[in-house]
């Protein structure tokens, strides 16, 4: 393999090699003028021949000494390892390891059809170890993952796979030929001489944007025989949307519009709008903002945020759905920080139909508008429920620790006997253990919902100005490996999210 750094050294283009040659040539010219001899001619003194040989040897030693660090630095560059492609309907989920994080600044992921065309690329953070490429055709694709090293390109790993049929494919006319720049190889000539390379300092281990990493196992429930599989996860490391590299596993509204939508219940104070659902470096932020101008529909004075899987056939989106009662164990987990509460907050992590009659499950809902409200969340309940017959519920009457001050992990386990249990920060909740059983609708295909709603309070609300937040670092769904894929559709890892 051609090593440009070594070639420059052998050609005496390194700084010290040049100095040696210049010094020797100047001395030779001086001697020529003094003795009127041509270089290494028949009258050249033996001492000068030995001197030149000695200097040339010294130059070679310097060249080798300088070339060795160059080779060593090249060998130390972070290199993607163990690239795997997992096909799903209309998508490929790439996962990889890396040889080292020293100097690593990120990864560049490129994909294209093996026959040419239909490609794209995205750069991801240094902590990301997986990425889902969506809206692909049922043809073979080449996927290349390349490390980025101090902002420069590094080595790459290459794999090929074919997405499964059935995904949302872009129309042919919407896919013009993609003109990508040629895939560059790391070229040493473009780098400064080795002795000018700045010293490499070990960077702090920052795993990309907060919220991009999701746990490979749930917090709390006992591990089943064979372990857990992650059937859906979103660490909110990519913007919500259906464009390249965006998170297309949610729609940012309660309806299919991109303007105001109604709330979920008649006693709610808000309209929902996509502008109130934002992905930031800290994860998802669902906001509620007070507005003096009445908002339609309903003449409401709050604009709030929600994410929802839709079953209305929105093109370009890929919503996770699940069906209960098929012998599997499923766990639904969220890492979240409740919004402040002054008698109206109604944050929720839940699931609903179709069908709509008895399929709703509330993994948690903050009952901030309770009749017992006094201050903050101290007297307001956390509410859980499964609406299937006979419609079971379990409520915690108040919080000893204010859930709006820090993130907590909320875990909801659905068992094969159609009961459910709750953990908070890995601690089983005695008020919600083996709740049920119920008789679920076996035909249900329910989607996931995250919402920040506001309810009418029997008290006087204290939310009369400004903006408040319901923050979510991640959500995830786990299934026992013995039943992986049973009762779930569109499983996968959301774009911008990695598992660790």
């Amino acid at each position: 393999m051609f090593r440009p750094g070594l070639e420059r050294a052998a050609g005496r283009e390194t700084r010290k090699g040049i100095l040696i040659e210049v010094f020797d040539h100047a001395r030779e010219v001086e001697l020529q003028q003094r003795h009127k001899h041509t270089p290494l001619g028949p009258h050249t003194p033996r001492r000068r021949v030995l001197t030149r040989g000695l200097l040339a040897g010294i130059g070679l030693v310097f060249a080798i000494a300088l070339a060795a660090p160059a080779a060593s630095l090249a060998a130390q560059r972070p290199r993607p390892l163990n690239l795997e492609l997992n096909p799903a309907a209309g998508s490929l989920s790439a996962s990889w390891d890396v040889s080292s994080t020293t100097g690593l600044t990120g990864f560049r992921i490129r994909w294209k059809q093996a026959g040419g065309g239909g490609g794209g690329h995205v750069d991801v953070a240094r902590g990301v170890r997986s990425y889902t490429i969506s809206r692909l055709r049922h043809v073979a694709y080449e996927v290349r993952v390349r490390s980025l090293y101090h902002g420069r390109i590094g080595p790459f790993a290459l794999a090929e796979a074919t997405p499964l049929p059935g995904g949302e494919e872009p129309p042919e006319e919407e896919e013009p030929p993609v003109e990508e720049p040629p895939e560059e190889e790391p070229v040493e000539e473009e780098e400064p001489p080795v002795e000018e390379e700045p010293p490499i300092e070990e960077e702090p281990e920052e795993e990309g944007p907060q919220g991009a990493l999701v746990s490979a196992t749930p917090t709390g429930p006992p591990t089943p025989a064979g372990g857990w599989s992650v059937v859906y996860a979103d660490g909110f490391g990519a913007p919500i949307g259906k464009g390249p590299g965006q998170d297309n596993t949610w729609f940012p509204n309660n309806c299919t519009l991109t303007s105001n939508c109604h709330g979920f219940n008649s006693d709610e104070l808000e309209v929902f709008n996509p502008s109130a659902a934002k992905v930031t470096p800290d994860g998802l932020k669902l906001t509620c903002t007070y507005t003096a101008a009445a908002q339609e529909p309903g003449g409401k004075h709050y604009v709030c945020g929600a994410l929802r899987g839709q079953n209305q056939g929105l093109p370009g989106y890929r919503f996770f759905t699940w069906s209960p009662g098929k012998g599997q164990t499923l766990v639904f987990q969220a890492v979240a920080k409740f919004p402040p509460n002054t008698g109206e907050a109604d944050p929720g992590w839940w699931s609903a139909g179709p069908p709509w009659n008895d399929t709703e499950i509330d993994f948690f809902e903050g009952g901030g508008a309770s009749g017992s409200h006094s201050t903050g969340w101290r007297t307001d309940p956390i509410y859980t429920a499964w609406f299937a017959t006979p419609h079971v519920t379990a409520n915690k009457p108040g919080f000893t620790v204010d859930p709006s001050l820090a993130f907590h992990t909320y875990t909801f386990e659905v068992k094969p006997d159609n009961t459910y249990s709750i953990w908070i920060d890995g601690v089983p909740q005695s008020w919600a253990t083996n709740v049920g059983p119920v008789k679920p609708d076996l035909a249900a295909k329910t989607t996931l919902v995250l919402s920040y709603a506001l309810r009418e309070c029997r008290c006087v609300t204290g939310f009369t100005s400004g903006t408040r937040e319901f923050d979510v670092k991640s959500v995830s769904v786990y299934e026992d490996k013995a039943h992986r894929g049973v009762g779930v559709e569109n499983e996968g890892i959301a774009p911008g999210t990695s598992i660790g």
Side-chain angles (χ1 to χ4, degrees), residues 208-234:
Q210 295 181 21
L213 191 66
V214 176
S215 173
T217 57
T219 303
T223 303
W228 295 107
S229 57
V230 181
V231 291
Y232 175 73
D234 197 340

Side-chain angles (χ1 to χ4, degrees), residues 357-486:
N357 293 332
D358 60 359
T359 58
E360 180 177 333
I361 297 182
D362 295 325
F363 309 132
F364 72 68
E365 181 177 359
S370 70
S372 60
H373 173 75
S374 61
T375 302
W377 287 101
R378 185 172 61 85
T379 57
D380 297 310
I382 181 172
Y383 174 81
T384 69
W386 193 343
F387 280 53
T389 304
H391 189 161
V392 296
T393 65
N395 305 325
K396 180 179 173 64
F399 291 85
T400 55
V401 176
D402 188 340
S404 69
L405 298 181
F407 284 93
H408 296 278
T409 301
Y410 300 89
T411 308
F412 187 107
E413 180 185 34
V414 176
K415 300 177 183 177
D417 63 356
N418 298 319
T419 63
Y420 73 82
S421 295
I422 302 289
W423 284 259
I424 299 178
D425 293 330
V427 178
Q429 302 297 299
S430 59
W431 53 273
T433 298
N434 299 324
V435 181
V438 301
K439 296 180 180 179
D441 186 337
L442 301 183
K445 291 187 177 181
T446 62
T447 59
L448 303 176
V449 186
L450 283 163
S451 59
Y452 181 9
L454 302 174
R455 297 249 190 172
E456 294 177 357
C457 184
R458 297 181 187 140
C459 59
V460 177
T461 177
F463 187 2
T464 56
S465 65
T467 297
R468 296 179 181 178
E469 295 178 1
F470 172 34
D471 299 328
V472 184
K473 279 190 177 180
S474 67
V475 296
S476 47
V477 183
Y478 307 89
E479 189 170 40
D480 65 295
K481 281 189 176 179
H483 292 86
R484 175 163 188 170
V486 174

